Amino acid sequence: MHSTTKLLRFDESRATSGITDIYASPCMACSARKACVSNLFSAQESLQFEQLVVGRRRVARHASLYHEHDRFEMLYAVRYGQFKLLSRDANGSQRVAQFCMPGDLVGLDAIATGRHNFRLMALENSEVCEIPFAGVTKMMASEPAIQRRFLQSMSLALNDQYGRSSLLSLASLDERFASFLLQMGERYSRLGYSEKSFRLSMTRGDIGSYLGTTVESVSRLVSRFNAQGAVSITGRTVDLIDRDHLLSILSSEDPPFQAASNNLSGSRH
Amino acid sequence: MHSTTKLLRFDESRATSGITDIYASPCMACSARKACVSNLFSAQESLQFEQLVVGRRRVARHASLYHEHDRFEMLYAVRYGQFKLLSRDANGSQRVAQFCMPGDLVGLDAIATGRHNFRLMALENSEVCEIPFAGVTKMMASEPAIQRRFLQSMSLALNDQYGRSSLLSLASLDERFASFLLQMGERYSRLGYSEKSFRLSMTRGDIGSYLGTTVESVSRLVSRFNAQGAVSITGRTVDLIDRDHLLSILSSEDPPFQAASNNLSGSRH
DNA sequence: CGCAAAGTTGATTAGGATCAAACTCAGTGG
DNA sequence: CCACTGAGTTTGATCCTAATCAACTTTGCG
């Protein structure tokens, strides 16, 4: 089914000598380390965790790591590259539910049903770590640190979605797009890259889908934000010139004094 | 701080005789049982689980069980009544992020940070079970069934939010409102009530906030849906007369044939 | 090089937000 | 008992944001 993905054994390159070698620990050498579940483990815990990772898988640009209704067996941690999580709505058209960056733990939504609810498609050539869920539950029982970290990751994923809901229910397009740009910057910075200059790997259509709007509107937003000097976006190259201006877009929209206590008069536009 | 809530000891009414009595098991006697984390446990597991519940708390209508930034120590399972989960946006106005019904497990979002990110306010006089999180993590390590069930609950919560995001990004107001009504019906039916006739405990303003629209629009939706004969809503009393019509609203909107594979042309309106 | 996918820009339109006003209903105190 | 109050709700009129339709340009891949 996933003919475009390739399996790599995780241990292939691991040193088996008794000599302590930082590069014997794949997680320590991984560029996604700082954003990954495996972060903040002690050397001891890290070794435990690495036993969970049974392999890696390369996914070519535009190939899918899994599809909706596929049986759920693995969680995946993105090593490099980027993905989009696609949901199918009542009609049958696809929507981008999320963008996945290195360090992200993917597949948590499938725990409930045992089947994947989304399709995970690579936006560029990517690689993930394969983490069998059965192993995770077993190790969560014996290793408190690993239990804590997985629960944290799930809670974090939940918060991400709360954030997205709130963004979508709340914001004008300007707010949504500003928020999107800032969020991408923040995610890059967490990986150790610049938070102001980065390259998007998704199309305008993907962005529109994610933000609940259309290609045309995204294109207009780009043009307008460029013209206002808040950003410099050419093609997929992004420069956040005036972050404060972007931030001010978020908290703009008539903040008179303080809203009444039980009053839900959140205004749009 | 929460002067309006009242603490009840959980074991107060529990029989201590050796006689097996179904009512000695509070979960078995709970009306929210079928929708609760505690569902589907064996008698043995159920007893284990009940040890986690250190007490109950009553929350008066309009009182808050917790606020943003409160320290996170407990998860709560709603026993009866209803709550709204309120988030605060960039400006300071509040938004309804979720409605919580009996059986819902609340507070999972706070695991990541150790602090609550929302305010949980009772829509009517309500009661929750208090489940210290420390106890949960401990018992998850030793009781596989309980671990499985909690992970399931978290995954389910995540899916709920994916669903909400998709709803908000996708739908016209008609679709959102139809979806809201069907969802409420489904939740009531899961508790053993009618899925077609129920009473809402939230205001139009709350609904509007939840659906990302305004009070006025909700009111107009009510009027129009009533006029079309799909529903009969007077005040907060809801009757879903023509569920098929509501369902057809969801999958309406020009489904020509089948969208192209990589094409994200999901249309609005 | 040539073609398809991706992106931009313009003109028109419609769905909902906003503003304004009236009405219902439950409580409250004179 | 009833007028007063204020939250909740409904309805109408107007305006504006962003969807839609259409044409065109640019990019990038085979």
Side-chain angles (χ1 to χ4, degrees):
Chain A
M1 181 176 242
H2 309 311
S3 56
T4 43
T5 62
K6 192 167 32 166
L7 185 65
L8 303 180
R9 278 289 110 199
F10 192 60
D11 295 281
E12 263 169 20
S13 63
R14 188 188 279 185
T16 46
S17 69
I19 299 167
T20 305
D21 174 5
I22 180 175
Y23 293 108
S25 176
C27 285
M28 288 298 174
C30 177
S31 63
R33 177 173 30 92
K34 282 190 263 184
C36 183
V37 233
S38 70
N39 195 26
L40 299 180
F41 285 149
S42 71
Q44 151 77 2
E45 288 154 4
S46 220
L47 282 175
Q48 293 277 351
F49 174 80
E50 281 163 17
Q51 287 178 9
L52 287 176
V53 181
V54 300
R56 293 183 192 149
R57 193 178 281 273
R58 293 218 172 118
V59 189
R61 185 178 138 91
H62 289 158
S64 293
L65 182 55
Y66 56 77
H67 295 78
E68 304 159 87
H69 310 305
D70 278 3
R71 178 177 289 285
F72 164 66
E73 268 143 13
M74 305 268 188
L75 293 172
Y76 301 97
V78 179
R79 256 173 68 78
Y80 59 78
Q82 233 168 298
F83 294 83
K84 59 180 173 184
L85 200 64
L86 294 170
S87 71
R88 193 170 290 280
D89 68 25
N91 300 348
S93 49
Q94 297 178 109
R95 286 261 148 187
V96 175
Q98 199 168 26
F99 295 113
C100 301
M101 313 255 301
D104 285 358
L105 189 63
V106 192
L108 295 169
D109 57 278
I111 293 172
T113 55
R115 302 250 166 208
H116 286 288
N117 303 296
F118 298 93
R119 176 174 168 196
L120 187 70
M121 186 190 275
L123 292 168
E124 48 188 282
N125 294 330
S126 305
E127 192 174 303
V128 297
C129 287
E130 299 179 305
I131 311 175
F133 184 61
V136 172
T137 55
K138 207 175 292 174
M139 196 167 288
M140 281 176 77
S142 60
E143 297 292 324
I146 286 174
Q147 185 204 48
R148 198 177 322 122
R149 202 72 181 105
F150 267 99
L151 291 177
Q152 243 176 47
S153 288
M154 288 192 76
S155 181
L156 220 54
L158 187 57
N159 279 309
D160 273 4
Q161 283 312 301
Y162 275 121
R164 182 158 131 75
S165 296
S166 135
L167 181 86
L168 287 168
S169 76
L170 212 150
S172 70
L173 277 192
D174 281 30
E175 291 175 85
R176 288 187 222 172
F177 190 54
S179 170
F180 167 76
L181 291 172
L182 290 167
Q183 196 200 6
M184 290 307 288
E186 208 219 318
R187 299 183 83 178
Y188 277 110
S189 92
R190 235 181 299 156
L191 289 167
Y193 303 109
S194 164
E195 76 175 335
K196 309 183 78 169
S197 300
F198 47 88
R199 209 153 194 301
L200 298 172
S201 51
M202 70 290 281
T203 69
R204 301 282 193 265
D206 289 334
I207 298 173
S209 179
Y210 179 73
L211 295 179
T213 182
T214 60
V215 205
E216 296 95 321
S217 290
V218 173
S219 188
R220 276 184 247 274
L221 284 164
V222 169
S223 305
R224 191 148 42 79
F225 278 34
N226 272 336
Q228 290 167 353
V231 301
S232 165
I233 304 178
T234 50
R236 299 195 181 173
T237 308
V238 176
D239 262 271
L240 305 185
I241 296 173
D242 188 351
R243 280 187 83 252
D244 288 340
H245 184 262
L246 292 177
L247 282 166
S248 79
I249 289 175
L250 293 187
S251 8
S252 68
E253 326 293 303
D254 55 276
F257 273 87
Q258 179 73 300
S261 74
N262 198 19
N263 180 17
L264 291 172
S265 59
S267 60
R268 288 166 73 93
H269 309 296
Chain B
M1 179 176 239
H2 309 309
S3 57
T4 42
T5 62
K6 193 167 32 165
L7 184 68
L8 302 180
R9 279 289 109 198
F10 191 61
D11 295 282
E12 262 170 18
S13 63
R14 187 189 281 186
T16 48
S17 68
I19 300 168
T20 304
D21 176 4
I22 181 173
Y23 294 107
S25 175
C27 285
M28 289 298 175
C30 177
S31 62
R33 177 172 31 91
K34 281 190 262 183
C36 184
V37 232
S38 70
N39 194 26
L40 299 181
F41 285 149
S42 70
Q44 151 77 2
E45 290 154 1
S46 220
L47 283 174
Q48 293 278 352
F49 174 80
E50 280 162 17
Q51 288 178 9
L52 288 176
V53 181
V54 298
R56 292 183 194 151
R57 192 178 281 274
R58 292 218 174 121
V59 189
R61 183 176 138 95
H62 289 158
S64 294
L65 183 55
Y66 56 77
H67 295 77
E68 303 159 87
H69 311 305
D70 277 4
R71 178 177 290 284
F72 164 66
E73 267 144 14
M74 305 269 188
L75 293 172
Y76 300 97
V78 179
R79 256 173 68 78
Y80 59 79
Q82 234 168 299
F83 294 84
K84 59 179 172 183
L85 199 64
L86 294 170
S87 71
R88 194 169 289 281
D89 67 25
N91 302 347
S93 49
Q94 297 178 108
R95 287 261 148 187
V96 175
Q98 199 168 29
F99 296 113
C100 302
M101 314 254 300
D104 284 359
L105 189 62
V106 191
L108 296 170
D109 57 278
I111 292 172
T113 56
R115 302 249 166 209
H116 285 289
N117 304 296
F118 298 93
R119 168 137 83 117
L120 187 71
M121 186 190 275
L123 292 169
E124 47 189 282
N125 294 330
S126 305
E127 192 174 303
V128 298
C129 288
E130 298 178 307
I131 311 177
F133 183 60
V136 172
T137 55
K138 205 175 294 175
M139 196 167 287
M140 280 176 78
S142 60
E143 296 292 324
I146 285 173
Q147 184 204 48
R148 198 178 320 122
R149 200 75 179 106
F150 267 100
L151 291 178
Q152 241 176 50
S153 288
M154 288 192 77
S155 181
L156 221 54
L158 186 57
N159 280 309
D160 274 2
Q161 283 311 302
Y162 275 121
R164 181 158 131 78
S165 296
S166 133
L167 181 86
L168 288 168
S169 76
L170 213 150
S172 70
L173 278 192
D174 281 31
E175 291 175 84
R176 289 189 221 172
F177 189 55
S179 171
F180 168 76
L181 291 172
L182 289 168
Q183 196 200 4
M184 290 306 288
E186 208 218 318
R187 299 182 84 178
Y188 277 110
S189 93
R190 236 181 299 156
L191 289 167
Y193 302 108
S194 163
E195 74 175 336
K196 310 184 79 169
S197 301
F198 47 88
R199 218 160 183 295
L200 298 172
S201 51
M202 71 289 284
T203 68
R204 302 281 193 264
D206 289 334
I207 298 172
S209 179
Y210 179 73
L211 296 180
T213 183
T214 59
V215 205
E216 296 96 323
S217 290
V218 173
S219 187
R220 277 184 246 275
L221 283 164
V222 169
S223 304
R224 192 148 42 79
F225 278 35
N226 272 336
Q228 290 167 352
V231 302
S232 165
I233 304 178
T234 51
R236 301 197 178 171
T237 307
V238 176
D239 262 271
L240 306 185
I241 296 172
D242 188 350
R243 280 187 83 253
D244 288 339
H245 183 262
L246 292 177
L247 283 166
S248 79
I249 291 174
L250 293 188
S251 9
S252 68
E253 324 296 302
D254 56 277
F257 272 85
Q258 179 74 300
S261 73
N262 197 19
N263 179 18
L264 291 172
S265 59
S267 60
R268 290 168 72 93
H269 310 294

